[in-house]
Amino acid sequence: MVGVPGRSKGCITCRRRKKKCDLQKPNCANCAKGRFDCEGFGRQMIVVQFGDDGKGQYRPRRLSKAPTPRDVVPDFGIQAQSLNRSALEVAYFSAFWNLYLPQAVLNGTIVPKRLNPVIRWVKWIQSMIGKDTTLRCALLALSLTNLGQARIDRAMIEQGMQLYGKALARLASDIRTPARIRTSEIMATTSILSTYEQLNDAAYAARNWHGHVNGLTSLISMHSPEECSEPDVHEAFVEARYNGVVAAIADRKATYLSSPDWIEKPWQGRRKNVIDTIIDVLVQFPESFEEFDNISATPLSLEMTHRAILLKERCWDLDRQLKSWYRDYITCVSGLLPREHVEYMLDGIAAAPQVDLPSILSNCGLAHLYSMSLYWGACILLYGMMQILYHKFQENPSIRTEILSSPRMDLRKYSLCIANTVKYFLNPRAGLAAALGITFSVSCISQSIPGANLVSPVACHDSEWKEIAALIEGIHSTAGCAWTNSFITHLNEWTKKCGLLCINAVPSGEWSLRRATVTVQI
């Protein structure tokens, strides 16, 4: 093959149509005006094929780093797809899954299959990928975009973005069809698009992620809790519940998922694992946060004081649930740890968590460590709110001092446990899914230090917070870091909107009140 200098620099579509191109990138305006699919500005090469007589025949061929959307995405108006196109799709899917969830993880050598919700999600998506063209288009968008980012291939990234737009348009059309709205394929497509936004580096990714998650939880609400125990719907429910809880905590608004029916009935005939049960506790947090925001933003009165007392009782009930979960968790991992480690964990039931637990639990597998990181994050959120609640609505000063000085409410210890966990989730062998999995727990740390920049330890004046910041610094270099930053900013947005009082750590080790004016950036 030889290059052909001096040929038209227009887009491939305009050259094929023999039309003048305006050279706008990534898509020319002429193609957009004519409603043509602009195939980009890949280099043209000439293939010279020589016959037996020694005479060459020139045939133009496009050469680019990756096939264009026309080559990759299925044409929705065509029923039969060529074998080479299907093989290309399979190759992209396989490469992406190995990037997202490496084979060692998928085989259960790093994480037990039964406990890992990501493995369950991947298996669920893979079981339906051949049933629906919209679902396949969404997965192609996710695959191409992330493979392009891994290979630093801008053309592949742009193709993934175009496919994402097509998947959105197709999904919108499917949702308008009554017969399609409740299907598992629709819910799986929405789930893939939310994952696309998690791995997207755009500033608006968190907003789009919230939109997809809210859409998925709305689709789930069209089913009864009993229907969510059915195989395909249950997998969609599990995915929607976790992301729905995270979104509801960020929005600080109650969710229907916290009702007893939605906590129990989708598991009829099934057995919950430790991840399911910690989410049973977390799903109750948004309602408490919403009530906390309402009474904190209202002038003090007898009514507000009474509501604060009721909220305190609710918080102590959540505390009892967290203690109960921790005991069950120790039972769950007792067969995987030496006896002295189990006894060591038992000592921490009513005390502050031991900061060396992450290294101990890492021997049990990433799924067990993940569930414990959710527990630590829940403790930070709950006890941080209780600290403010007891400061603002004082009763007996001696009781308040005793409660706030309890070792179990030491937010720094929980934050340090999460920070010590990050390195295990950033292990390249664990894949992109693990890096995203630690995001929520890390974002919980920001609730306890709203004035600190976690990737700049110099900004923290306390030595322990500097250690925490240094330990989680590596997360800013992972895939989806822009989404992480945007998500955490959204999670803290309530402090600016409501002007609420937040607790900030001071060097003396005591707690002081200040107005939060700086959001955490990771």
Side-chain angles (χ1 to χ4, degrees):
M1 296 188 295
V2 294
V4 184
R7 294 179 66 89
S8 170
K9 296 181 180 180
C11 75
I12 295 170
T13 304
C14 289
R15 278 182 280 175
R16 182 183 294 113
R17 297 176 56 232
K18 297 182 180 180
K19 300 292 183 180
K20 185 176 180 179
C21 181
D22 62 2
L23 304 180
Q24 291 188 23
K25 295 183 180 181
N27 300 316
C28 79
N30 288 346
C31 288
K33 183 177 180 180
R35 296 184 179 181
F36 292 98
D37 185 7
C38 183
E39 298 181 45
F41 295 81
R43 294 173 54 200
Q44 282 263 348
M45 304 295 288
I46 292 296
V47 178
V48 182
Q49 298 180 342
F50 289 90
D52 295 336
D53 57 359
K55 295 182 179 180
Q57 184 179 13
Y58 292 85
R59 294 182 181 178
R61 177 178 296 177
R62 181 173 62 258
L63 182 65
S64 61
K65 293 183 179 180
T68 65
R70 183 181 295 274
D71 299 321
V72 179
V73 69
D75 186 346
F76 295 116
I78 301 176
Q79 296 297 322
Q81 304 298 325
S82 63
L83 291 176
N84 61 337
R85 181 179 297 172
S86 298
L88 189 59
E89 290 177 9
V90 171
Y92 278 130
F93 295 158
S94 177
F96 168 72
W97 289 130
N98 194 50
L99 186 67
Y100 185 76
L101 197 68
Q103 198 63 37
V105 180
L106 195 59
N107 291 338
T109 57
I110 293 180
V111 186
K113 289 183 180 181
R114 184 180 66 83
L115 285 177
N116 194 331
V118 181
I119 292 179
R120 288 167 52 182
W121 180 77
V122 171
K123 295 293 187 182
W124 174 54
I125 296 295
Q126 289 177 339
S127 68
M128 291 189 295
I129 196 63
K131 302 177 182 178
D132 188 78
T133 52
T134 306
L135 177 60
R136 194 161 65 250
C137 182
L139 185 57
L140 276 170
L142 180 63
S143 302
L144 281 172
T145 301
N146 287 279
L147 289 173
Q149 290 173 349
R151 301 173 183 178
I152 316 179
D153 187 337
R154 184 60 192 171
M156 185 177 282
I157 294 173
E158 291 177 354
Q159 291 159 20
M161 293 170 63
Q162 291 177 15
L163 290 173
Y164 176 77
K166 290 185 177 181
L168 279 177
R170 182 70 180 183
L171 179 63
S173 176
D174 290 342
I175 289 175
R176 289 191 292 268
T177 305
R180 293 272 291 154
I181 190 64
R182 286 163 52 92
T183 62
S184 300
E185 289 80 11
I186 291 288
M187 292 183 283
T189 301
T190 307
S191 177
I192 289 176
L193 295 178
S194 70
T195 304
Y196 178 97
E197 294 297 350
Q198 284 183 297
L199 293 167
N200 191 355
D201 286 335
Y204 49 78
R207 181 194 64 197
N208 290 347
W209 174 83
H210 268 75
H212 290 310
V213 170
N214 290 338
L216 183 55
T217 53
S218 296
L219 291 173
I220 291 294
S221 68
M222 296 180 181
H223 299 76
S224 67
E226 292 82 1
E227 289 177 327
C228 289
S229 64
E230 299 172 2
D232 285 347
V233 181
H234 181 75
E235 294 303 326
F237 166 77
V238 170
E239 176 69 12
R241 189 171 84 131
Y242 169 72
N243 287 294
V245 168
V246 174
I249 289 175
D251 292 333
R252 300 179 73 83
K253 299 294 182 183
T255 170
Y256 71 89
L257 294 168
S258 64
S259 69
D261 283 351
W262 283 100
I263 290 178
E264 297 299 334
K265 291 183 179 179
W267 270 269
Q268 289 179 351
R270 301 173 182 271
R271 183 179 178 182
K272 292 184 179 180
N273 58 43
V274 289
I275 295 177
D276 297 326
T277 52
I278 189 60
I279 295 177
D280 285 347
V281 183
L282 275 170
V283 77
Q284 303 172 58
F285 277 41
E287 183 178 1
S288 297
F289 289 158
E290 183 176 6
E291 175 66 3
F292 171 77
D293 292 351
N294 291 335
I295 65 176
S296 297
T298 306
L300 289 175
S301 64
L302 289 176
E303 180 188 357
M304 292 301 106
T305 302
H306 178 67
R307 288 172 63 179
I309 293 174
L310 295 178
L311 180 57
K312 290 176 184 177
E313 293 176 356
R314 188 184 304 171
C315 289
W316 285 117
D317 180 60
L318 291 173
D319 174 64
R320 285 189 290 272
Q321 292 184 49
L322 287 174
K323 287 181 180 178
S324 176
W325 180 89
Y326 185 71
R327 293 188 186 94
D328 293 340
Y329 176 85
I330 295 175
T331 302
C332 182
V333 299
S334 60
L336 305 173
L337 293 172
R339 181 177 178 179
E340 59 270 19
H341 286 167
V342 175
E343 294 177 351
Y344 179 65
M345 292 181 67
L346 287 170
D347 294 337
I349 290 178
Q354 300 95 331
V355 296
D356 56 347
L357 273 184
S359 62
I360 294 175
L361 296 175
S362 64
N363 298 319
C364 299
L366 206 58
H368 284 293
L369 193 55
Y370 169 71
S371 58
M372 181 56 77
S373 72
L374 293 178
Y375 166 78
W376 289 324
C379 290
I380 291 175
L381 294 177
L382 177 62
Y383 302 141
M385 179 176 67
M386 291 177 69
Q387 295 270 7
I388 306 171
L389 194 60
Y390 272 92
H391 267 291
K392 185 168 184 179
F393 298 94
Q394 301 184 23
E395 297 174 11
N396 188 318
S398 62
I399 295 178
R400 176 176 64 84
T401 302
E402 180 183 354
I403 291 173
L404 299 186
S405 61
S406 169
R408 186 162 174 78
M409 289 195 178
D410 190 344
L411 303 187
R412 303 188 199 197
K413 297 298 184 184
Y414 293 103
S415 299
L416 195 54
C417 285
I418 293 173
N420 284 328
T421 301
V422 168
K423 61 184 176 182
Y424 299 105
F425 286 84
L426 299 188
N427 182 348
R429 293 179 61 220
L432 295 177
L436 291 179
I438 197 63
T439 300
F440 171 72
S441 298
V442 170
S443 69
C444 293
I445 299 178
S446 68
Q447 299 298 288
S448 60
I449 44 173
N453 187 327
L454 296 182
V455 296
S456 180
V458 178
C460 301
H461 301 293
D462 185 270
S463 60
E464 202 162 20
W465 288 126
K466 286 183 179 180
E467 181 182 359
I468 293 170
L471 286 169
I472 65 175
E473 186 175 4
I475 201 170
H476 77 281
S477 62
T478 64
C481 61
W483 177 85
T484 302
N485 174 54
S486 182
F487 170 76
I488 292 174
T489 300
H490 183 89
L491 189 63
N492 287 309
E493 194 65 23
W494 64 276
T495 60
K496 294 194 300 182
K497 289 190 297 185
C498 301
L500 299 178
L501 292 174
C502 295
I503 289 180
N504 186 48
V506 294
S508 65
E510 298 177 353
W511 294 101
S512 65
L513 287 171
R514 65 188 288 274
R515 286 191 179 276
T517 56
V518 182
T519 55
V520 174
Q521 292 186 349
I522 289 185

